[in-house]
Amino acid sequence: MISRSKIKALIDLMDKEPELKPKLQAMLARFIREEPLQFKNVIEESFGADVPGYIRDIVRNIKREELLAHFKAYFAVKNPSLLKGFALIARFINPHLSQKAVLDKFGLLHKSLAAHMDAGFDIFHKAEVMSRFFFIGGHYRLESLSAGARTLSLPDIIDCGGASSFAMAALYCCCAECFDLKADMFDAGGKVMIRLRDKYSYEPVYVDVFAGGRFVGEDECSIYASARGFAWSGAFISPMSSKQVIKRFLANLVYVCYKSGDEAALSVLRKCLNFAA
C-alpha cells in the first residue's frame, strides 16, 4: 500500500520541481489508479475544496482512459443506442458524470416534452410539438463548436440550451424515438437533416434544425445539396447509423480539443476513433 506521506511528498515535490513535473505526474497517476481512496483522503486533508488544477487534470484524464473500454464495447455492438452513445460523449467531456446521471437528465427532458404530447397525435403533429418545444417555446439555440465542448454535452445542452447543429439533431432524434417515431439523421451534402417516420404514414417528415425545426421536402434537400456542388441522389438520404453519429461526435471533440491544446484528451479521442474504424 502506498503511504499517505509518500503521496503528499510527491505532490509537494511537483510544486517545488517544475522541470520534473511530467515524470512526477505519471507517478501520481499510477498512485491514483492503485490507491484511489488513499489519494482522495490525502487531497481532502491537504487542499480541502481548493484542489490544484494539475491534479484535477490528472484525475480527469484517468477517468477518460477508463471510458475507453466503454467506447470499445459500444462500437462492438451491431446497432447500439444513440442515446447511450450520446451519454458516453457527455461523460468524456465531464468524466465525473455517471451514465445514470446523464440518462436521468434526459429523463427529465422527456417528461417535460411528454406533457405537450398526446398519444393520439399523428407524425406531423408530433414533429410540430417537438419543433415548437425546442425552438419556439424552449430555450434551445444553435451555437458554433468554437463555443466549446459544452455544445456537444447532453446535460449541458439540456441545462443551458446551447448546442451544435449536429448535437441538436441528435437530441431531436433521441426525443423522437421516445414517442414511437423512427428518427434518422442524414447528410444532405454537408447539412445534417432529420427524417421522421412512423408505422402509419407513408410519407416521411423532414426536419431542418438549422431553420428552427422547420419542415422541409426532399426537393429542398436536393436544392441545398446542389447549391453546395453535389449532384442529388437517393444516397443522400441514407440514414447515418448510431455508430456513425457517435464517430462524428468524436471527430467534433477532436476539433474542440485541438483548438484548446488539450493533448491528453486528444490522445484518448484518437484511441476511441480507432474503435469506430
Side-chain angles (χ1 to χ4, degrees):
M1 179 179 288
I2 301 168
S3 67
R4 294 189 182 193
S5 59
K6 190 170 184 178
I7 295 174
K8 182 66 167 64
L10 177 58
I11 294 172
D12 291 340
L13 190 59
M14 290 176 75
D15 287 330
K16 297 173 184 176
E17 304 288 345
E19 70 279 3
L20 296 177
K21 200 167 188 177
K23 185 176 290 186
L24 295 173
Q25 282 182 333
M27 292 177 62
L28 185 59
R30 180 170 61 84
F31 287 178
I32 295 171
R33 288 189 179 95
E34 293 177 2
E35 298 288 348
L37 185 57
Q38 282 278 69
F39 176 79
K40 181 176 182 291
N41 291 337
V42 172
I43 292 302
E44 289 176 351
E45 291 171 2
S46 303
F47 302 104
D50 191 23
V51 179
Y54 66 85
I55 294 179
R56 293 183 188 276
D57 289 343
I58 292 171
V59 174
R60 182 169 61 248
N61 291 331
I62 288 173
K63 288 183 175 292
R64 281 176 173 163
E65 288 279 354
E66 292 172 350
L67 285 175
L68 280 171
H70 296 277
F71 276 104
K72 183 177 182 179
Y74 183 83
F75 285 111
V77 175
K78 184 177 181 180
N79 187 29
S81 158
L82 175 58
L83 178 58
K84 289 183 178 179
F86 207 169
L88 268 179
I89 294 296
R91 292 177 65 199
F92 183 91
I93 295 168
N94 180 0
H96 298 288
L97 286 172
S98 66
Q99 183 90 343
K100 183 179 183 302
V102 179
L103 296 180
D104 284 350
K105 177 69 71 174
F106 178 79
L108 292 174
L109 172 66
H110 169 241
K111 184 177 180 180
S112 179
L113 178 54
H116 301 271
M117 195 77 72
D118 187 284
F121 287 171
D122 61 25
I123 184 172
F124 294 99
H125 202 160
K126 288 178 180 178
E128 183 180 7
V129 168
M130 285 195 294
S131 291
R132 291 184 63 84
F133 178 86
F134 285 118
F135 300 111
I136 299 176
H139 63 291
Y140 294 87
R141 65 196 179 280
L142 300 187
E143 292 189 3
S144 166
L145 277 176
S146 61
R150 63 178 178 78
T151 62
L152 300 169
S153 170
L154 181 58
D156 288 327
I157 294 168
I158 293 172
D159 284 340
C160 304
S164 74
S165 57
F166 192 79
M168 189 68 245
L171 178 58
Y172 196 108
C173 287
C174 288
C175 287
E177 295 279 358
C178 295
F179 299 102
D180 298 322
L181 295 174
K182 172 61 179 171
D184 296 312
M185 295 167 62
F186 65 95
D187 193 331
K191 182 177 185 178
V192 174
M193 309 284 280
I194 299 168
R195 180 177 61 184
L196 300 175
R197 293 170 292 166
D198 66 8
K199 60 184 178 181
Y200 306 106
S201 305
Y202 177 77
E203 290 292 332
V205 175
Y206 296 95
V207 179
D208 183 355
V209 296
F210 285 88
R214 185 171 65 88
F215 296 171
V216 296
E218 188 173 330
D219 55 341
E220 289 185 69
C221 298
S222 172
I223 291 170
Y224 179 82
S226 298
R228 298 289 297 269
F230 296 96
W232 180 258
S233 73
F236 278 102
I237 55 176
S238 297
M240 300 172 66
S241 69
S242 55
K243 289 193 282 190
Q244 288 173 322
V245 172
I246 298 306
K247 183 178 181 180
R248 182 84 70 91
F249 266 110
L250 290 171
N252 285 341
L253 278 175
V254 167
Y255 170 81
V256 171
C257 293
Y258 177 79
K259 294 285 285 185
S260 66
D262 192 341
E263 291 296 331
L266 283 171
S267 176
V268 181
L269 283 169
R270 292 186 182 109
K271 294 175 185 176
C272 291
L273 283 168
N274 285 337
F275 299 139

